[in-house]
Amino acid sequence: IVLVKKNNLYGFVDLQLNEVIPCIYDDTYHTIVNGFCSVKKGDKWGFVDRKNQIIIPFEFDEIVCKAKYLACAKPNILD
């Protein structure tokens, strides 16, 4: 699956250019880890899967992907 940008929003397509994840996200770390992708909607980060189902809600100010098999999320500690 390949990252695409349309109207300043990010999404993903497959190798046949079929939309996999629509271009509705403000940012992404450009990688898929174990079928999950970190994406930003507004000012919060979360994770979606290859079917664009929310795996981790958009509640985090920062997302860190450190390893092939690990994704960590950091909430806003000031709230």
Coordinates of all heavy atoms in Angstrom, one line a residue:
I1 N 0.9 -1.2 0.0 CA 0.0 0.0 0.0 C 0.9 1.2 0.0 O 2.0 1.2 0.6 CB -1.0 -0.1 1.2 CG1 -1.3 1.1 2.0 CG2 -0.8 -1.1 2.0 CD1 -2.5 0.8 3.0
V2 N 0.4 2.3 -0.7 CA 1.2 3.4 -1.0 C 0.6 4.7 -0.4 O -0.6 4.9 -0.6 CB 1.5 3.6 -2.5 CG1 2.3 4.8 -2.8 CG2 2.1 2.3 -3.0
L3 N 1.4 5.6 0.2 CA 0.8 6.8 0.7 C 0.5 7.8 -0.5 O 1.3 7.9 -1.4 CB 1.9 7.5 1.6 CG 1.6 8.9 2.1 CD1 0.5 8.8 3.1 CD2 2.8 9.5 2.7
V4 N -0.6 8.5 -0.4 CA -1.0 9.5 -1.3 C -1.4 10.8 -0.6 O -1.8 10.7 0.6 CB -2.1 9.0 -2.3 CG1 -1.6 7.9 -3.2 CG2 -3.3 8.6 -1.6
K5 N -1.3 11.9 -1.3 CA -1.7 13.2 -0.7 C -2.6 13.8 -1.7 O -2.3 14.0 -2.9 CB -0.5 14.0 -0.4 CG -0.8 15.3 0.3 CD 0.4 16.1 0.7 CE 0.1 17.3 1.4 NZ 1.3 18.1 1.8
K6 N -3.8 14.2 -1.3 CA -4.8 14.9 -2.2 C -5.4 16.0 -1.4 O -5.9 15.8 -0.3 CB -5.8 13.9 -2.6 CG -6.9 14.4 -3.5 CD -7.9 13.3 -3.9 CE -8.9 13.8 -4.8 NZ -9.9 12.8 -5.1
N7 N -5.4 17.2 -2.0 CA -5.9 18.4 -1.3 C -5.3 18.6 0.1 O -6.1 18.9 1.0 CB -7.4 18.4 -1.3 CG -8.1 18.3 -2.6 OD1 -7.6 19.0 -3.6 ND2 -9.1 17.6 -2.8
N8 N -4.0 18.4 0.2 CA -3.3 18.5 1.5 C -3.7 17.5 2.6 O -3.5 17.7 3.8 CB -3.4 19.9 2.0 CG -2.4 20.8 1.3 OD1 -1.4 20.4 0.7 ND2 -2.7 22.1 1.3
L9 N -4.4 16.4 2.2 CA -4.8 15.4 3.1 C -4.2 14.1 2.7 O -4.0 13.8 1.5 CB -6.3 15.3 3.2 CG -7.1 16.5 3.7 CD1 -8.6 16.4 3.6 CD2 -6.7 16.8 5.2
Y10 N -3.9 13.2 3.6 CA -3.3 11.9 3.3 C -4.2 10.7 3.4 O -5.2 10.7 4.1 CB -2.1 11.7 4.4 CG -1.0 12.7 4.3 CD1 -1.1 13.8 5.1 CD2 0.0 12.5 3.4 CE1 0.0 14.8 5.0 CE2 1.0 13.4 3.3 CZ 1.0 14.6 4.1 OH 2.0 15.5 4.1
G11 N -3.8 9.7 2.6 CA -4.5 8.5 2.5 C -3.6 7.4 1.9 O -2.4 7.7 1.7
F12 N -4.1 6.3 1.6 CA -3.3 5.2 1.0 C -4.1 4.5 -0.1 O -5.3 4.4 -0.1 CB -3.0 4.2 2.1 CG -2.0 4.7 3.1 CD1 -2.4 5.3 4.2 CD2 -0.6 4.5 3.0 CE1 -1.6 5.8 5.2 CE2 0.3 4.9 3.9 CZ -0.2 5.6 5.0
V13 N -3.3 4.1 -1.1 CA -3.9 3.3 -2.2 C -3.1 2.0 -2.3 O -2.0 1.9 -1.8 CB -3.8 4.1 -3.6 CG1 -4.7 5.3 -3.5 CG2 -2.4 4.4 -4.0
D14 N -3.7 1.0 -3.0 CA -2.9 -0.2 -3.2 C -2.2 -0.1 -4.5 O -2.2 1.0 -5.2 CB -3.9 -1.5 -3.3 CG -4.9 -1.4 -4.4 OD1 -4.8 -0.7 -5.4 OD2 -5.9 -2.2 -4.2
L15 N -1.5 -1.1 -4.9 CA -0.6 -1.0 -6.1 C -1.4 -0.8 -7.4 O -0.8 -0.4 -8.4 CB 0.3 -2.2 -6.2 CG 1.3 -2.3 -5.1 CD1 2.2 -3.5 -5.2 CD2 2.2 -1.1 -5.0
Q16 N -2.7 -1.1 -7.4 CA -3.5 -0.9 -8.6 C -4.2 0.5 -8.5 O -5.1 0.8 -9.3 CB -4.6 -2.0 -8.7 CG -4.0 -3.4 -9.1 CD -3.4 -4.1 -7.9 OE1 -3.8 -4.0 -6.8 NE2 -2.2 -4.7 -8.2
L17 N -3.8 1.3 -7.5 CA -4.3 2.6 -7.3 C -5.8 2.7 -6.8 O -6.4 3.7 -6.9 CB -4.2 3.5 -8.5 CG -2.7 3.7 -9.0 CD1 -2.7 4.6 -10.2 CD2 -1.8 4.3 -7.9
N18 N -6.2 1.6 -6.2 CA -7.5 1.5 -5.6 C -7.4 2.1 -4.2 O -6.4 1.8 -3.4 CB -8.0 0.1 -5.4 CG -8.2 -0.6 -6.8 OD1 -8.9 0.0 -7.7 ND2 -7.6 -1.7 -7.0
E19 N -8.3 3.0 -3.8 CA -8.3 3.6 -2.5 C -8.4 2.6 -1.4 O -9.3 1.8 -1.4 CB -9.4 4.6 -2.4 CG -9.4 5.4 -1.1 CD -10.5 6.4 -1.0 OE1 -11.7 6.0 -0.7 OE2 -10.3 7.6 -1.4
V20 N -7.5 2.6 -0.5 CA -7.5 1.7 0.7 C -7.9 2.4 1.9 O -8.8 2.0 2.6 CB -6.2 1.0 0.9 CG1 -6.2 0.1 2.1 CG2 -5.7 0.2 -0.3
I21 N -7.3 3.6 2.1 CA -7.6 4.5 3.2 C -7.8 5.8 2.6 O -6.9 6.3 1.9 CB -6.5 4.5 4.3 CG1 -6.3 3.2 4.9 CG2 -6.8 5.6 5.3 CD1 -5.2 3.1 5.9
P22 N -9.0 6.4 2.7 CA -9.3 7.7 2.0 C -8.4 8.9 2.5 O -7.9 8.8 3.6 CB -10.8 8.0 2.3 CG -11.0 7.2 3.6 CD -10.1 6.0 3.6
C23 N -8.2 9.8 1.6 CA -7.4 11.0 1.9 C -8.2 12.0 2.8 O -8.8 13.0 2.3 CB -7.0 11.7 0.6 SG -5.8 10.8 -0.4
I24 N -8.3 11.6 4.1 CA -9.0 12.4 5.0 C -8.2 12.8 6.2 O -8.7 13.5 7.2 CB -10.3 11.7 5.5 CG1 -10.0 10.4 6.1 CG2 -11.3 11.5 4.3 CD1 -11.2 9.7 6.8
Y25 N -6.9 12.5 6.2 CA -6.1 12.7 7.4 C -5.1 13.8 7.2 O -4.6 14.0 6.1 CB -5.4 11.4 7.8 CG -6.4 10.3 8.1 CD1 -6.6 9.3 7.3 CD2 -7.1 10.4 9.3 CE1 -7.6 8.3 7.6 CE2 -8.0 9.4 9.7 CZ -8.3 8.4 8.8 OH -9.2 7.5 9.1
D26 N -4.9 14.6 8.3 CA -4.0 15.8 8.2 C -2.6 15.4 8.2 O -1.7 16.2 7.7 CB -4.3 16.7 9.4 CG -5.8 17.2 9.3 OD1 -6.1 17.9 8.3 OD2 -6.5 17.0 10.3
D27 N -2.2 14.3 8.7 CA -0.8 13.9 8.7 C -0.7 12.4 9.0 O -1.7 11.7 9.4 CB 0.0 14.6 9.9 CG 1.5 14.7 9.6 OD1 2.0 14.1 8.6 OD2 2.1 15.3 10.4
T28 N 0.5 11.8 8.7 CA 0.7 10.4 9.0 C 2.2 10.2 9.1 O 3.0 11.1 8.6 CB 0.2 9.5 7.8 OG1 0.5 8.1 8.1 CG2 0.7 9.9 6.5
Y29 N 2.7 9.1 9.7 CA 4.1 8.8 9.8 C 4.5 8.0 8.6 O 5.6 7.5 8.5 CB 4.4 8.1 11.1 CG 4.6 9.0 12.2 CD1 3.9 8.9 13.4 CD2 5.6 10.0 12.2 CE1 4.0 9.8 14.4 CE2 5.8 10.9 13.2 CZ 5.0 10.8 14.4 OH 5.2 11.6 15.4
H30 N 3.6 7.8 7.6 CA 4.0 7.2 6.3 C 4.3 5.7 6.4 O 4.8 5.2 5.4 CB 5.1 7.9 5.6 CG 5.0 9.4 5.6 ND1 4.0 10.1 4.8 CD2 5.7 10.4 6.2 CE1 4.2 11.4 5.0 NE2 5.1 11.6 5.9
T31 N 4.0 5.1 7.5 CA 4.3 3.7 7.6 C 3.1 2.9 8.1 O 2.3 3.4 8.8 CB 5.5 3.4 8.5 OG1 5.2 3.9 9.8 CG2 6.8 4.1 8.0
I32 N 3.1 1.6 7.7 CA 2.1 0.7 8.2 C 2.8 -0.3 9.1 O 3.8 -0.9 8.6 CB 1.3 0.0 7.1 CG1 0.7 1.0 6.1 CG2 0.3 -1.0 7.6 CD1 -0.7 1.3 6.2
V33 N 2.5 -0.4 10.3 CA 3.1 -1.4 11.2 C 2.1 -2.4 11.6 O 1.1 -2.1 12.2 CB 3.6 -0.6 12.5 CG1 4.2 -1.6 13.5 CG2 4.6 0.5 12.2
N34 N 2.4 -3.7 11.2 CA 1.5 -4.8 11.5 C 0.0 -4.5 11.1 O -0.9 -4.9 11.8 CB 1.5 -5.2 13.0 CG 2.7 -6.0 13.3 OD1 3.4 -6.5 12.5 ND2 3.0 -6.1 14.6
G35 N -0.1 -3.9 9.9 CA -1.4 -3.6 9.4 C -2.1 -2.3 10.0 O -3.2 -2.0 9.6
F36 N -1.4 -1.6 10.8 CA -1.9 -0.4 11.4 C -1.2 0.8 11.0 O 0.0 0.7 10.7 CB -1.9 -0.4 13.0 CG -2.6 -1.6 13.6 CD1 -1.9 -2.5 14.4 CD2 -3.9 -1.9 13.2 CE1 -2.6 -3.6 15.0 CE2 -4.5 -3.0 13.8 CZ -3.9 -3.8 14.6
C37 N -1.8 2.0 10.9 CA -1.2 3.2 10.4 C -1.5 4.3 11.4 O -2.7 4.5 11.8 CB -1.7 3.5 9.1 SG -1.1 5.1 8.4
S38 N -0.5 5.1 11.8 CA -0.7 6.2 12.7 C -1.1 7.4 11.8 O -0.5 7.7 10.8 CB 0.5 6.6 13.5 OG 1.6 6.8 12.6
V39 N -2.3 8.0 12.1 CA -2.7 9.1 11.3 C -3.2 10.2 12.3 O -3.6 10.0 13.4 CB -3.9 8.7 10.4 CG1 -3.3 7.9 9.2 CG2 -5.0 8.0 11.1
K40 N -3.2 11.5 11.8 CA -3.6 12.6 12.6 C -4.9 13.2 12.0 O -5.0 13.4 10.8 CB -2.5 13.7 12.5 CG -2.7 14.8 13.5 CD -1.5 15.7 13.5 CE -1.6 16.8 14.5 NZ -0.4 17.7 14.4
K41 N -5.8 13.5 12.8 CA -7.1 14.1 12.4 C -7.3 15.3 13.3 O -7.4 15.2 14.5 CB -8.2 13.1 12.6 CG -9.4 13.4 11.7 CD -10.4 12.2 11.8 CE -11.5 12.5 10.7 NZ -12.4 11.4 10.7
G42 N -7.3 16.5 12.7 CA -7.3 17.7 13.5 C -5.9 17.8 14.2 O -4.9 17.7 13.5
D43 N -5.9 18.0 15.5 CA -4.7 18.1 16.2 C -4.4 16.8 17.1 O -3.5 16.8 17.9 CB -4.7 19.3 17.1 CG -5.7 19.3 18.2 OD1 -6.7 18.5 18.1 OD2 -5.7 20.2 19.1
K44 N -5.1 15.7 16.8 CA -4.9 14.5 17.6 C -4.5 13.3 16.7 O -5.0 13.2 15.6 CB -6.2 14.2 18.4 CG -6.6 15.2 19.4 CD -5.6 15.3 20.5 CE -6.1 16.4 21.5 NZ -5.2 16.6 22.6
W45 N -3.7 12.4 17.3 CA -3.3 11.2 16.6 C -4.0 10.0 17.0 O -4.5 9.9 18.2 CB -1.8 11.0 16.8 CG -0.9 12.0 16.2 CD1 -0.4 13.2 16.7 CD2 -0.3 11.8 14.9 NE1 0.4 13.8 15.7 CE2 0.5 13.0 14.6 CE3 -0.3 10.8 13.9 CZ2 1.2 13.1 13.5 CZ3 0.4 11.0 12.7 CH2 1.2 12.1 12.5
G46 N -4.1 9.0 16.2 CA -4.7 7.7 16.5 C -4.2 6.7 15.5 O -3.3 7.0 14.7
F47 N -4.7 5.5 15.5 CA -4.4 4.5 14.6 C -5.6 3.9 13.9 O -6.6 3.8 14.5 CB -3.7 3.3 15.3 CG -2.2 3.5 15.7 CD1 -1.9 4.2 16.8 CD2 -1.2 3.1 14.8 CE1 -0.6 4.4 17.2 CE2 0.1 3.4 15.1 CZ 0.4 4.0 16.3
V48 N -5.4 3.6 12.6 CA -6.5 3.0 11.8 C -5.8 1.7 11.2 O -4.6 1.6 11.1 CB -7.0 3.9 10.7 CG1 -7.8 5.1 11.3 CG2 -6.0 4.3 9.7
D49 N -6.7 0.8 10.8 CA -6.2 -0.4 10.1 C -6.4 -0.2 8.6 O -6.8 0.8 8.1 CB -6.9 -1.7 10.6 CG -8.4 -1.8 10.3 OD1 -8.9 -0.9 9.5 OD2 -9.1 -2.6 10.9
R50 N -6.0 -1.3 7.9 CA -6.1 -1.2 6.4 C -7.5 -1.0 5.9 O -7.7 -0.7 4.7 CB -5.4 -2.4 5.8 CG -4.0 -2.4 6.0 CD -3.4 -3.7 5.4 NE -2.0 -3.8 5.7 CZ -1.0 -3.8 4.8 NH1 -1.3 -3.8 3.5 NH2 0.2 -3.9 5.2
K51 N -8.5 -1.2 6.7 CA -9.9 -1.0 6.3 C -10.4 0.3 6.8 O -11.6 0.6 6.8 CB -10.8 -2.2 6.8 CG -10.4 -3.5 6.2 CD -11.3 -4.6 6.7 CE -11.0 -5.9 6.1 NZ -11.8 -7.0 6.6
N52 N -9.5 1.2 7.3 CA -9.8 2.5 7.9 C -10.7 2.4 9.1 O -11.4 3.4 9.4 CB -10.4 3.4 6.8 CG -10.3 4.9 7.2 OD1 -9.3 5.3 7.8 ND2 -11.4 5.6 6.9
Q53 N -10.6 1.3 9.8 CA -11.3 1.2 11.1 C -10.5 1.8 12.2 O -9.2 1.5 12.2 CB -11.7 -0.3 11.4 CG -12.6 -0.9 10.4 CD -13.9 -0.3 10.3 OE1 -14.6 -0.1 11.3 NE2 -14.3 0.1 9.1
I54 N -11.0 2.5 13.1 CA -10.2 3.1 14.1 C -9.8 2.1 15.1 O -10.7 1.4 15.7 CB -11.0 4.3 14.8 CG1 -11.3 5.4 13.9 CG2 -10.2 4.8 16.1 CD1 -12.2 6.5 14.4
I55 N -8.5 1.9 15.3 CA -8.0 0.9 16.3 C -7.7 1.6 17.6 O -8.0 1.1 18.7 CB -6.7 0.2 15.7 CG1 -7.0 -0.4 14.4 CG2 -6.1 -0.7 16.7 CD1 -8.1 -1.5 14.4
I56 N -7.0 2.7 17.6 CA -6.8 3.6 18.7 C -7.4 4.9 18.4 O -7.1 5.6 17.4 CB -5.3 3.7 19.0 CG1 -4.7 2.3 19.4 CG2 -5.0 4.7 20.2 CD1 -3.2 2.3 19.6
P57 N -8.3 5.4 19.3 CA -9.0 6.7 19.0 C -8.1 7.9 18.9 O -7.0 7.9 19.4 CB -9.9 6.8 20.2 CG -10.0 5.5 20.9 CD -8.7 4.8 20.5
F58 N -8.6 8.9 18.2 CA -7.8 10.1 18.0 C -7.8 11.0 19.3 O -8.6 11.9 19.4 CB -8.4 10.9 16.8 CG -8.2 10.2 15.5 CD1 -9.3 9.4 15.1 CD2 -7.1 10.3 14.8 CE1 -9.1 8.6 13.9 CE2 -6.9 9.6 13.6 CZ -8.0 8.8 13.2
E59 N -7.0 10.6 20.3 CA -7.0 11.2 21.6 C -5.6 11.7 22.0 O -5.4 12.1 23.1 CB -7.5 10.3 22.6 CG -8.9 9.8 22.4 CD -9.4 8.8 23.4 OE1 -8.5 8.3 24.2 OE2 -10.6 8.5 23.5
F60 N -4.6 11.5 21.1 CA -3.2 11.6 21.5 C -2.5 12.8 20.8 O -2.7 13.0 19.6 CB -2.5 10.3 21.2 CG -3.1 9.2 22.0 CD1 -4.0 8.4 21.4 CD2 -2.7 8.9 23.3 CE1 -4.6 7.3 22.1 CE2 -3.3 7.9 24.0 CZ -4.3 7.1 23.4
D61 N -1.7 13.5 21.6 CA -0.9 14.6 21.0 C 0.3 14.2 20.2 O 0.8 14.9 19.4 CB -0.5 15.6 22.1 CG -1.7 16.2 22.8 OD1 -2.6 16.7 22.1 OD2 -1.7 16.2 24.0
E62 N 0.8 13.0 20.5 CA 2.0 12.5 19.9 C 1.9 10.9 19.8 O 1.4 10.3 20.7 CB 3.2 12.8 20.8 CG 4.5 12.4 20.3 CD 5.6 12.9 21.3 OE1 5.4 13.8 22.1 OE2 6.7 12.2 21.2
I63 N 2.4 10.4 18.7 CA 2.5 9.0 18.4 C 3.9 8.7 18.1 O 4.5 9.4 17.3 CB 1.6 8.6 17.2 CG1 0.1 8.8 17.6 CG2 1.8 7.2 16.8 CD1 -0.5 7.7 18.4
V64 N 4.4 7.6 18.6 CA 5.8 7.2 18.3 C 5.8 5.8 17.9 O 5.4 4.9 18.6 CB 6.7 7.4 19.6 CG1 8.1 7.0 19.3 CG2 6.7 8.8 20.1
C65 N 6.3 5.6 16.7 CA 6.5 4.2 16.2 C 8.0 3.9 16.3 O 8.8 4.4 15.5 CB 6.0 4.1 14.7 SG 4.3 4.4 14.6
K66 N 8.4 3.0 17.2 CA 9.8 2.7 17.4 C 10.3 1.5 16.8 O 11.4 1.3 16.5 CB 10.0 2.7 18.9 CG 10.0 4.0 19.6 CD 11.2 4.7 19.2 CE 11.4 6.0 20.0 NZ 12.5 6.8 19.6
A67 N 9.5 0.5 16.6 CA 9.9 -0.8 16.1 C 8.9 -1.4 15.2 O 7.8 -0.9 15.1 CB 10.2 -1.8 17.3
K68 N 9.3 -2.4 14.4 CA 8.5 -3.0 13.5 C 7.2 -3.6 14.1 O 6.1 -3.6 13.5 CB 9.2 -4.1 12.7 CG 8.4 -4.8 11.7 CD 9.2 -5.8 10.9 CE 8.4 -6.5 9.8 NZ 9.2 -7.4 9.1
Y69 N 7.3 -4.0 15.4 CA 6.2 -4.6 16.0 C 5.6 -3.9 17.2 O 4.8 -4.4 18.0 CB 6.6 -6.0 16.5 CG 7.1 -6.9 15.4 CD1 8.5 -7.1 15.3 CD2 6.3 -7.4 14.5 CE1 9.0 -7.9 14.2 CE2 6.7 -8.2 13.4 CZ 8.1 -8.4 13.3 OH 8.5 -9.2 12.3
L70 N 6.0 -2.6 17.3 CA 5.6 -1.8 18.5 C 5.1 -0.4 18.1 O 5.8 0.2 17.3 CB 6.7 -1.7 19.5 CG 6.4 -0.9 20.7 CD1 5.3 -1.5 21.6 CD2 7.7 -0.7 21.5
A71 N 4.0 0.0 18.6 CA 3.5 1.4 18.4 C 3.0 1.9 19.7 O 2.3 1.2 20.4 CB 2.4 1.4 17.3
C72 N 3.5 3.0 20.1 CA 3.1 3.6 21.4 C 2.4 4.9 21.2 O 2.7 5.7 20.3 CB 4.4 3.9 22.2 SG 5.4 2.4 22.5
A73 N 1.5 5.2 22.1 CA 0.8 6.5 22.0 C 1.0 7.2 23.3 O 1.0 6.6 24.4 CB -0.7 6.2 21.8
K74 N 1.1 8.6 23.2 CA 1.3 9.4 24.4 C 0.2 10.4 24.5 O 0.0 11.2 23.7 CB 2.6 10.1 24.3 CG 2.9 11.0 25.4 CD 4.3 11.8 25.2 CE 4.5 12.8 26.2 NZ 5.7 13.6 25.9
P75 N -0.7 10.3 25.6 CA -1.8 11.3 25.7 C -1.2 12.6 26.2 O -0.1 12.7 26.7 CB -2.6 10.6 26.8 CG -1.7 9.8 27.6 CD -0.6 9.3 26.6
N76 N -2.1 13.6 26.1 CA -1.7 14.9 26.6 C -1.7 14.9 28.1 O -2.7 14.8 28.8 CB -2.7 16.0 26.1 CG -2.3 17.4 26.6 OD1 -1.4 17.6 27.4 ND2 -3.0 18.4 26.0
I77 N -0.5 15.0 28.7 CA -0.4 14.9 30.2 C -0.9 16.1 30.9 O -1.0 16.1 32.1 CB 1.0 14.5 30.6 CG1 2.0 15.5 30.2 CG2 1.4 13.1 30.1 CD1 3.4 15.3 30.7
L78 N -1.1 17.2 30.2 CA -1.6 18.4 30.8 C -3.1 18.5 31.0 O -3.6 19.4 31.7 CB -1.1 19.6 30.0 CG 0.5 19.7 29.9 CD1 0.8 20.9 29.0 CD2 1.1 19.9 31.2
D79 N -3.8 17.6 30.4 CA -5.3 17.6 30.5 C -5.7 17.0 31.8 O -5.1 16.1 32.4 CB -5.9 16.9 29.3 CG -5.9 17.7 28.1 OD1 -5.6 18.9 28.2 OD2 -6.2 17.1 27.0

